[in-house]
Each structure stands twice: as C-alpha cells, then as structure tokens.
Amino acid sequence: NSSMLSRTILTLIAFTIAGAAGAQGRPDPRGDEAAVEMGQAFRQGNKARLAQLLPLLRGHPLEPWGAYWELRARLDTASSQEVQDFFTRWAGTYQEDRLRNDWLLLLGQRRDWTNFADQHPRFRMNDDTQVRCYALLVQQLREGTTPALLEEVRRLWFAQREAEDACSTAARTLVNEAPRATRLTTMDVWRRARLAAEYNKPRAAAQAVEIVAPAADAL
C-alpha cells in the first residue's frame, strides 16, 4: 500500500544518505535533511514544501528523487515542456522512467493519443497494466483490432480488481466499435461484472454493466 511504499522510500533514502556520506568523507546535513523532508512532503501532498526544499538538494545524490517528487506532485498542471526537460535532465535514471509511467497514465486519461504514442516506446520498465491497456487502445484506433489484441485486452480487463479507466476504456471500444469478428461480447461484459461482484468491488461491477446497459447506472 502507499504507506508501506513511503516507508520503503524513506528507508532507501537513509541508506543512500549513509552511503553518500561515507563516500564523500563527510555528511551534507542540509541536503540529507531536505531529502527526508521531501519524502515526507511528497507523502503528504505538500507541493509548496516540495518546491521550497528542492534547491537544497542540488548536487546531492538524492536530487533525482527530489526533482521527481516535486514534479510528480503537480504533474496534472505541469507543462509538456517541463516534463520533457525532466526527461532530458535525468535521462537514463529510474526517476526518468518512473515519471514517464506517470505521464503516460495522465496522457491516457486526457485521451492525448498523439503524445502517448510518442512517449510509450521510451517507457523502459513497461510494467504498468494501465499503460499497457492504453497502448492497446491506441493500437486498435490506429491499426484496427486483431484476435491477439482482443484476447490481451480481455485478459487484462478481467484481472483488474478495481474500477479504472484504461482497460475499461479499451474494453468499451472493443464492445462498441470493433468489427463483429474481433469484438468483446455482451457475455464478456457480464462476466467482468460478475468477477468484480465476487471480489466485492461494486464500482468495478457497475462500470462494466454501464457499457452494455447505460440506464442501469442511473437506477
């Protein structure tokens, strides 16, 4: 969960600080303290504090994390140029690819398929199911549906426990817009709803039902 992830990140920060201090022969108290505070501010969603602390991390081993946290916290309002500048400044780092993951999800939510298609081949980790569903949707919109694409969307959609946008949108398109031979069926949709109900996820079940019975959502 998010709290465990935050504790893990802060633990990694402590180890990195200790390693950096040993390698340099002396600690950097201001930078070390700023790194820990930034990790906490990111967990709290404190954008102002992140911006205030970031300059204290310049040249510090954890500066890439500080830069990531500061931009990630305001990614929904950041300009495309700011994001690209981050990719350039931290090219090849884990933080670059982590932010690209976040950026691809946001581009998908915005239905910005042109920029999504441009950025997706640069996503090295390629381990996010939601990004994969958006990528399959873009492929379908640009090249049409294939049996392999249909099967992958079905598999990924059925595996989702919660209500979400990417795989549900890809599934909706395959129900309503794909040729009959490569289309998700009404039975597929009801099966997804049943699986969600079995997992006690009513929002996910309702999201599936709405694809084939829009009026049911208003009942």
Side-chain angles (χ1 to χ4, degrees):
N1 56 35
S2 59
S3 61
M4 182 177 296
L5 177 61
S6 298
R7 289 195 297 271
T8 300
I9 290 174
L10 292 176
T11 300
L12 290 172
I13 287 174
F15 278 114
T16 304
I17 288 173
Q24 295 171 0
R26 61 183 179 81
D28 181 359
R30 291 202 336 159
D32 296 351
E33 292 169 7
V36 174
E37 286 191 50
M38 286 196 77
Q40 295 169 339
F42 179 71
R43 183 182 60 194
Q44 296 162 359
N46 191 334
K47 301 176 186 179
R49 186 59 176 156
L50 287 166
Q52 182 183 34
L53 289 167
L54 182 58
L56 298 179
L57 276 188
R58 286 188 185 134
H60 191 278
L62 288 170
E63 183 182 0
W65 272 116
Y68 168 79
W69 288 328
E70 193 279 328
L71 184 53
R72 176 64 183 85
R74 57 182 181 85
L75 192 59
D76 58 338
T77 60
S79 69
S80 296
Q81 188 58 55
E82 284 182 284
V83 174
Q84 189 56 54
D85 288 345
F86 181 96
F87 292 154
T88 301
R89 172 68 179 83
W90 302 108
T93 64
Y94 172 81
Q95 291 79 10
E96 176 219 357
D97 214 41
R98 181 77 270 158
L99 190 78
R100 181 168 284 107
N101 191 163
D102 301 326
W103 185 235
L104 285 167
L105 290 173
L106 189 57
L107 291 173
Q109 292 163 13
R110 292 173 174 175
R111 308 302 190 249
D112 186 348
W113 305 131
T114 299
N115 283 316
F116 182 96
D118 177 66
Q119 288 295 326
H120 184 252
R122 299 179 173 87
F123 182 35
R124 297 188 303 276
M125 286 184 289
N126 201 27
D127 60 350
D128 188 299
T129 298
Q130 300 302 302
V131 170
R132 179 58 185 160
C133 280
Y134 282 135
L136 290 167
L137 175 56
V138 171
Q139 181 182 338
Q140 179 199 351
L141 294 173
R142 293 187 169 196
E143 304 172 13
T145 309
T146 65
L149 185 149
L150 172 66
E151 183 54 38
E152 186 170 5
V153 170
R154 181 190 286 117
R155 178 179 60 81
L156 293 173
W157 189 39
F158 283 1
Q160 298 301 297
R161 297 291 184 93
E162 305 291 344
E164 45 69 43
D165 180 66
C167 297
S168 295
T169 301
R172 181 187 299 272
T173 305
L174 284 171
V175 169
N176 296 325
E177 300 178 24
R180 185 173 298 277
T182 52
R183 180 183 297 177
L184 282 175
T185 67
T186 301
M187 290 300 295
D188 287 322
V189 177
W190 286 110
R191 181 185 173 197
R192 162 61 178 163
R194 178 177 59 79
L195 288 171
E198 288 176 355
Y199 288 128
N200 195 28
K201 302 296 182 180
R203 289 184 62 245
Q207 185 183 52
V209 171
E210 195 272 335
I211 293 176
V212 292
D217 194 45
L219 296 179

